[in-house]
Amino acid sequence: MGKAAAASCSSTRGLVSLLSAVPCLACKQPPPSRAAMSLSAASSEGPPPVAGPGSDTYKGWLFKWTNYLKGYQRRWFVLSNGLLSYYRTQAEMAHTCRGTINLSTAHIDTEDSCNIVLSSGGRTYHLKASSEVERQRWVTALELAKAKAIRMRDNQSDDSGDEEPASQSDKSELHSTLKNLSSKLEDLSTCNDLIAKHGAALQRSLSELENLKLPAESGEKIKAVNERATLFRITSNAMINACRDFLDLAETHSRKWQRALQYEREQRTRLEETIEQLAKQHNSLERACRGAPGLTVNTVTRAPKGNVLTVKGEASDEDEDTEYFDAMEDAPSFITVAADPTKHHRRTDSNLSGASEGRADDWNLEDSVFECSTRSSFDATGKDVVSKKSRRTQIPDKPNYSLNLWSIMKNCIGKELSKIPMPVNFNEPLSMLQRLTEDLEYHELLDKAVKCESSTEQMCFVAAFSVSSYSTTVHRTAKPFNPLLGETYELDRLDEMGFRSLCEQVSHHPPAAAHHVYSRRGWTLWQEITIASKFRGKYLSIMPLGAIHLEFHSSGNHYIWRKVTSTVHNIIVGKLWIDQSGDIEIINYKSKDKCQLKFSPYSYFSRDVPRKVTGVVMDAEGKAHYVMSGTWDEKMECSKIVQSSLGSSSMEGKLPKTVYQTLSPRVLWKKYPLPENAENMYYFSSLALTLNEMEEGMAPTDSRLRPDQRLMENGKWDEANMEKQRLEEKQRAVRRQREAAAVVALEEGQDYEGYIPLWFERKVDPATGELICVYKGGYWEAKERQDWSMCPNIF
């Protein structure tokens, strides 16, 4: 028995050694090249640049020449797959590449001990390393990457890597490729099944081998084990070979698709550069023609060439002031999971950190507040009292006027838009004061918020109201009229909707408007908004500055928030479209409740719903009560949180997300449909169509009486442009008189107060400590008396 056991153990050790001698082909990798080892060794001698996994990726900081004003700027460079790309920071690698050079066609030169010059296809990068050693590391890495890129290009020149990859990748080739991939996938699946089957049999044999007692049986069992091990090895090798074939095929086509994608990217970059270059040349030619009409033909033809800067002082291919939105936005910091209401009556799980315990029957917000989305707030069938006056439902159609946009905007890049004389062709027949009043279209949300007993529930309606004000902007890419100083706008809907609103332009530069709304249904809203806008060339940024205040009369809850940034894209080329992005923090200064709303910028690569808005309503202790979700152009929903917990971190280095278990969502706000024929009426909503309708007894400074705006609404754009110039010149003359009076007062040693608003006065807000224009009263009383003697003549 002892000898048999020893023989069995010896046989087992031989079998184990035999199996261990079989090469693991799946993990088999070729040895690193000498160049790769030298590059890796060089990168490990000091700080960045560093080599990534393998020798194909190389990263580090270099200084890149931008222009003569800014000189060399520190940039993060990444060398990968024969391409050298750069970013402002390492964080930008996830979304924004500032430029790329293909090394297979690049020329690498060294000016001195620390400089590197790369040129390819008319693009030149002047780079500088921090030391000569670092420069040599980069040169070595660039030369190796260039040689490898040239070999790949030469070896696969017959594999649709020519100038037009799209012409080679026709439908038949794609079908054949997919068929081959499917066939290899089936082979892999078959081999996988066989490996599983033979592996199970081998395990059983090994178990039996261990339990042997008779030496006579051991020889037969060991023989069976060897046969099965051999069969298992053969099957494994077959599967590994199939895997290798599949990998080779996938890599071949992956390189082909990468080259096609790179070709399209380069074509797009060239097209953008060509358009920008043509715009610069066009601008230069126009200035040359205006400034020197007697120039010879040779001089004019040389002017565009001067714009093609290939020397060291070339214009940088990046704009330091350009705003970039993330191509892939980070996911929100919380995840919502639907909870079963029947299971959350009195749940107190101890393993949930910071649980927001609650009962399902506590969820008493009204379900589907605007359930009937086809009903307008101005219909006779609406919830409000039937209107005493029938409001208009249409305005004259917008004329089809053509205009050369570039001829007007080319000299406006980087300027404040309110200071640029713009024709009415870019406007809509409403003033900024009327657009500000249009935020009240969904005032019913505030009427419902008055009835809420809980401050957190009330916060949900306030948050939905703050989002609803952007729903009218989704198609409204036209610019409203800049109000004249002292211009006012009233909207008296006290009998119909329970509120009355008053706006006044209280400053011209910077343009600022004060707004006050009183509702007899239990709330008051006031704000002073300054619009800052910048034309960036490709897009227009509109930044509303100032806080919005909302106070409920019965509870005394005082809410304050600020607006997000609006961006109008495709100013020069393409169809105009508008986006909202940024964060809104709503604070109840009485109870200290908060609501954080995030407006996600649109991204072509994102899987999220466009125009997405998410948020959480928390109390003063930071405990989350409700989750807000929806879009700023359609609807907002509210979900009550029953429990919350910290999830596991999915990515290294990132904080774990909070997981909220919520009840079924309730619709708080839903957008009203646009009126019929809205596309020909500037995409006005039902409320917007009535904003410029004439009223009785209004102040002579009201926007409805503005002549250029009225002419534009009636389709007389030429007359409107002339009237607009007259009004602006009249306003400039008044401003010059005011400036002259200020100079006289200064010479006489007297104080000069400047312009004083008529219906508003500046006071320090007790909640924020800011100086804000608040309504001082008197307007509605003057309207009742019809005494407008104090109003200036601005029209």
Side-chain angles (χ1 to χ4, degrees):
M1 290 295 291
K3 293 182 178 179
S8 176
C9 292
S10 176
S11 300
T12 303
R13 287 195 298 271
L15 176 61
V16 172
S17 64
L18 175 65
L19 293 177
S20 64
V22 177
C24 182
L25 298 180
C27 301
K28 194 173 182 180
Q29 295 182 356
S33 63
R34 186 172 302 173
M37 289 189 292
S38 63
L39 180 60
S40 177
S43 65
S44 61
E45 292 175 359
V50 295
S55 61
D56 291 338
T57 303
Y58 205 60
K59 306 175 183 178
W61 291 102
L62 287 173
F63 292 89
K64 179 183 177 295
W65 177 267
T66 55
N67 52 50
Y68 281 108
L69 293 177
K70 299 176 182 177
Y72 283 97
Q73 298 291 324
R74 191 166 180 256
R75 297 290 180 261
W76 179 257
F77 280 82
V78 177
L79 173 60
S80 178
N81 296 324
L83 300 175
L84 180 66
S85 306
Y86 76 96
Y87 313 83
R88 283 192 191 164
T89 61
Q90 299 182 47
E92 277 194 349
M93 291 176 60
H95 52 80
T96 305
C97 178
R98 302 289 173 169
T100 301
I101 275 190
N102 191 342
L103 293 178
S104 63
T105 59
H107 177 69
I108 304 174
D109 192 14
T110 53
E111 290 183 347
D112 53 35
S113 60
C114 293
N115 284 41
I116 308 172
V117 180
L118 294 176
S119 57
S120 175
R123 176 177 294 187
T124 303
Y125 287 173
H126 295 267
L127 310 176
K128 178 182 288 187
S130 60
S131 65
E132 187 174 356
V133 175
E134 184 179 337
R135 195 282 306 266
Q136 189 57 41
R137 291 174 179 170
W138 272 106
V139 171
T140 304
L142 291 171
E143 292 289 356
L144 290 173
K146 178 181 178 180
K148 184 173 181 180
I150 293 175
R151 286 197 306 270
M152 290 177 59
R153 183 189 63 187
D154 295 340
N155 294 339
Q156 299 170 2
S157 58
D158 58 339
D159 193 18
S160 73
D162 46 57
E163 289 297 319
E164 296 186 4
S167 62
Q168 302 295 331
S169 55
D170 53 8
K171 292 184 179 180
S172 60
E173 181 183 2
L174 181 61
H175 179 73
S176 175
T177 302
L178 293 176
K179 186 176 180 181
N180 291 335
L181 291 176
S182 300
S183 176
K184 292 296 180 182
L185 190 61
E186 291 178 0
D187 294 344
L188 287 177
S189 179
T190 303
C191 291
N192 182 65
D193 295 338
L194 290 175
I195 286 177
K197 179 179 178 181
H198 296 319
L202 183 61
Q203 281 296 115
R204 288 195 301 271
S205 298
L206 291 174
S207 300
E208 294 173 356
L209 186 62
E210 293 176 353
N211 298 327
L212 283 180
K213 295 181 179 180
L214 299 176
E217 298 178 359
S218 62
E220 297 178 359
K221 292 297 181 181
I222 292 174
K223 183 178 179 180
V225 168
N226 285 328
E227 291 176 353
R228 289 173 177 172
T230 303
L231 184 61
F232 184 81
R233 186 171 66 254
I234 294 173
T235 308
S236 300
N237 288 336
M239 179 178 181
I240 292 170
N241 290 332
C243 288
R244 184 184 294 110
D245 293 340
F246 181 89
L247 181 61
D248 292 341
L249 185 62
E251 285 181 346
T252 301
H253 286 84
S254 175
R255 288 192 294 268
K256 168 186 167 183
W257 292 330
Q258 284 180 356
R259 287 195 303 274
L261 178 60
Q262 181 62 26
Y263 176 82
E264 294 298 330
R265 285 176 176 171
E266 292 175 354
Q267 289 292 93
R268 176 185 174 185
T269 302
R270 291 193 192 100
L271 181 59
E272 290 179 350
E273 292 175 351
T274 301
I275 292 176
E276 185 176 358
Q277 197 67 30
L278 287 174
K280 291 180 180 179
Q281 293 176 4
H282 186 262
N283 190 16
S284 178
L285 284 172
E286 283 191 352
R287 290 181 179 178
C289 292
R290 289 196 303 267
L295 285 176
T296 63
V297 176
N298 291 334
T299 305
V300 176
T301 55
R302 281 198 301 268
K305 294 181 181 178
N307 287 331
V308 184
L309 302 176
T310 57
V311 297
K312 186 173 180 178
E314 68 183 296
S316 174
D317 52 359
E318 59 180 320
D319 182 3
E320 295 291 337
D321 296 328
T322 301
E323 296 178 6
Y324 289 88
F325 297 113
D326 290 349
M328 288 291 290
E329 283 295 310
D330 290 338
S333 57
F334 62 88
I335 302 173
T336 58
V337 179
D340 186 359
T342 61
K343 297 180 181 180
H344 291 282
H345 287 289
R346 292 189 181 276
R347 183 170 178 172
T348 57
D349 292 350
S350 59
N351 60 341
L352 296 178
S353 60
S356 297
E357 300 166 10
R359 299 181 55 177
D361 51 10
D362 291 338
W363 181 226
N364 54 16
L365 285 177
E366 296 185 41
D367 191 6
S368 299
V369 174
F370 298 108
E371 200 169 276
C372 184
S373 60
T374 59
R375 181 172 61 222
S376 170
S377 60
F378 302 102
D379 293 341
T381 58
K383 304 173 189 175
D384 293 295
V385 179
V386 178
S387 175
K388 295 183 178 179
K389 177 181 178 181
S390 59
R391 303 290 177 182
R392 65 180 186 180
T393 58
Q394 61 182 7
I395 59 174
D397 287 356
K398 176 182 178 181
N400 186 15
Y401 274 73
S402 61
L403 187 66
N404 185 358
L405 178 63
W406 179 247
S407 64
I408 296 174
M409 302 296 285
K410 62 189 177 184
N411 296 320
C412 305
I413 298 177
K415 295 182 180 179
E416 175 68 36
L417 200 64
S418 60
K419 299 181 180 180
I420 300 170
M422 302 286 287
V424 299
N425 304 53
F426 298 115
N427 287 30
E428 61 181 14
L430 289 178
S431 73
M432 181 59 71
L433 302 180
Q434 290 165 312
R435 283 291 294 267
L436 204 59
T437 307
E438 198 176 348
D439 291 351
L440 300 171
E441 180 163 11
Y442 298 96
H443 62 93
E444 297 98 332
L445 287 168
L446 302 183
D447 297 340
K448 292 181 178 293
V450 174
K451 304 175 183 178
C452 294
E453 298 180 358
S454 168
S455 61
T456 53
E457 285 187 10
Q458 191 176 72
M459 176 71 82
C460 295
F461 284 101
V462 175
F465 174 78
S466 68
V467 176
S468 68
S469 62
Y470 297 97
S471 64
T472 60
T473 66
V474 64
H475 300 296
R476 302 271 289 280
T477 55
K479 176 180 176 290
F481 280 80
N482 289 331
L484 303 174
L485 187 62
E487 185 174 335
T488 61
Y489 179 74
E490 67 162 68
L491 187 67
D492 191 353
R493 297 287 195 270
L494 199 61
D495 295 332
E496 304 165 38
M497 303 175 185
F499 72 87
R500 52 175 33 163
S501 166
L502 176 65
C503 290
E504 181 182 359
Q505 189 75 2
V506 295
S507 174
H508 186 61
H509 285 304
H515 186 201
H516 182 269
V517 187
Y518 167 79
S519 173
R520 62 184 179 190
R521 295 179 182 174
W523 53 269
T524 300
L525 183 145
W526 67 96
Q527 59 181 320
E528 181 185 356
I529 297 295
T530 300
I531 301 295
S533 53
K534 288 286 186 180
F535 174 53
R536 305 289 188 177
K538 294 181 181 179
Y539 62 91
L540 173 69
S541 296
I542 303 171
M543 293 82 69
L545 308 176
I548 303 173
H549 297 254
L550 173 65
E551 186 173 15
F552 291 94
H553 303 162
S554 58
S555 63
N557 289 329
H558 184 183
Y559 298 90
I560 299 179
W561 70 94
R562 300 174 190 273
K563 289 179 173 287
V564 297
T565 298
S566 302
T567 307
V568 183
H569 295 271
N570 293 344
I571 295 294
I572 301 300
V573 180
K575 184 179 179 181
L576 293 176
W577 60 280
I578 195 167
D579 193 22
Q580 316 288 346
S581 60
D583 299 329
I584 291 181
E585 183 182 57
I586 307 174
I587 302 178
N588 183 347
Y589 274 78
K590 180 182 179 182
S591 64
K592 305 304 179 183
D593 298 340
K594 290 185 179 180
C595 177
Q596 302 279 354
L597 293 175
K598 177 179 178 57
F599 288 66
S600 301
Y602 174 78
S603 171
Y604 179 80
F605 301 99
S606 177
R607 298 180 181 178
D608 286 337
V609 178
R611 308 180 185 97
K612 182 179 180 181
V613 181
T614 54
V616 178
V617 175
M618 298 174 289
D619 59 19
E621 287 76 27
K623 179 180 177 181
H625 289 264
Y626 298 97
V627 170
M628 305 292 297
S629 61
T631 59
W632 54 263
D633 66 324
E634 283 295 335
K635 67 177 181 179
M636 285 297 293
E637 296 178 338
C638 178
S639 304
K640 184 177 179 62
I641 299 173
V642 292
Q643 288 187 8
S644 64
S645 62
L646 287 179
S648 59
S649 180
S650 59
M651 296 183 66
E652 186 177 353
K654 287 196 172 183
L655 295 175
K657 298 178 180 179
T658 305
V659 180
Y660 292 127
Q661 296 186 20
T662 63
L663 301 180
S664 300
R666 304 299 199 256
V667 178
L668 298 184
W669 162 72
K670 194 170 185 180
K671 181 186 176 182
Y672 295 133
L674 289 175
E676 187 178 355
N677 195 36
E679 64 276 5
N680 295 321
M681 296 187 296
Y682 309 90
Y683 287 99
F684 281 178
S685 63
S686 299
L687 174 62
L689 288 174
T690 67
L691 292 179
N692 208 39
E693 187 176 11
M694 296 298 291
E695 298 278 354
E696 295 180 358
M698 56 190 172
T701 55
D702 197 276
S703 298
R704 299 178 182 89
L705 301 174
R706 183 166 174 164
D708 54 349
Q709 186 174 306
R710 181 64 58 185
L711 288 169
M712 183 196 175
E713 183 185 283
N714 293 331
K716 301 177 181 180
W717 284 16
D718 294 333
E719 295 88 338
N721 275 317
M722 292 187 292
E723 192 65 22
K724 184 173 183 290
Q725 292 180 4
R726 182 189 69 81
L727 290 175
E728 290 174 348
E729 183 55 40
K730 181 178 181 180
Q731 183 171 232
R732 293 189 194 100
V734 174
R735 186 175 70 247
R736 286 193 293 267
Q737 293 175 3
R738 194 176 295 115
E739 292 172 352
V743 172
V744 172
L746 182 62
E747 292 175 351
E748 296 178 355
Q750 300 177 358
D751 293 334
Y752 183 77
E753 294 182 345
Y755 178 78
I756 301 176
L758 189 58
W759 309 110
F760 290 79
E761 61 182 351
R762 293 204 171 273
K763 288 185 177 181
V764 176
D765 182 76
T768 63
E770 298 176 350
L771 195 63
I772 185 175
C773 270
V774 295
Y775 179 59
K776 65 180 179 181
Y779 179 87
W780 304 107
E781 293 78 6
K783 180 181 179 181
E784 191 173 336
R785 299 192 309 266
Q786 281 300 294
D787 179 14
W788 303 115
S789 57
M790 72 294 290
C791 294
N793 180 13
I794 61 174
F795 298 139

